[in-house]
Amino acid sequence: DTVKGGDIKKIVDEIKKENPKVAVMLFEPKEKSIVIACGSRGNNIECNRWIEQIAAILGGKGGGRKDFASGGG
């Protein structure tokens, strides 16, 4: 689904609050780039590593904590 005009970081936080076991990554297209946010809860997924891998594919960078990270490319 596409969310227009939404704050993907806020949406990731809301999804994490509503689900005790979840991993989510959202993409927000901008004019010349893509913003990424991801979050995890109740599992072993490390968002900081996950976002680094995906951002690199997009030619960008990312970082953050184990439970939340953001980046772009």
Side-chain angles (χ1 to χ4, degrees), residues 3-4 12 22 32 38 43 47 51 53 60 63 68:
V3 178
K4 297 192 182 212
V12 167
V22 67
K32 295 186 179 185
C38 68
N43 56 52
C47 290
I51 202 93
Q53 294 174 359
F68 181 85

Side-chain angles (χ1 to χ4, degrees), residues 28-51:
E28 181 180 8
K30 297 288 187 175
E31 246 181 76
K32 295 186 179 185
S33 65
I34 296 175
V35 177
I36 314 164
C38 68
S40 68
R41 178 178 174 203
N43 56 52
N44 294 326
I45 294 173
E46 295 182 13
C47 290
N48 51 345
R49 304 229 186 270
W50 192 21
I51 202 93

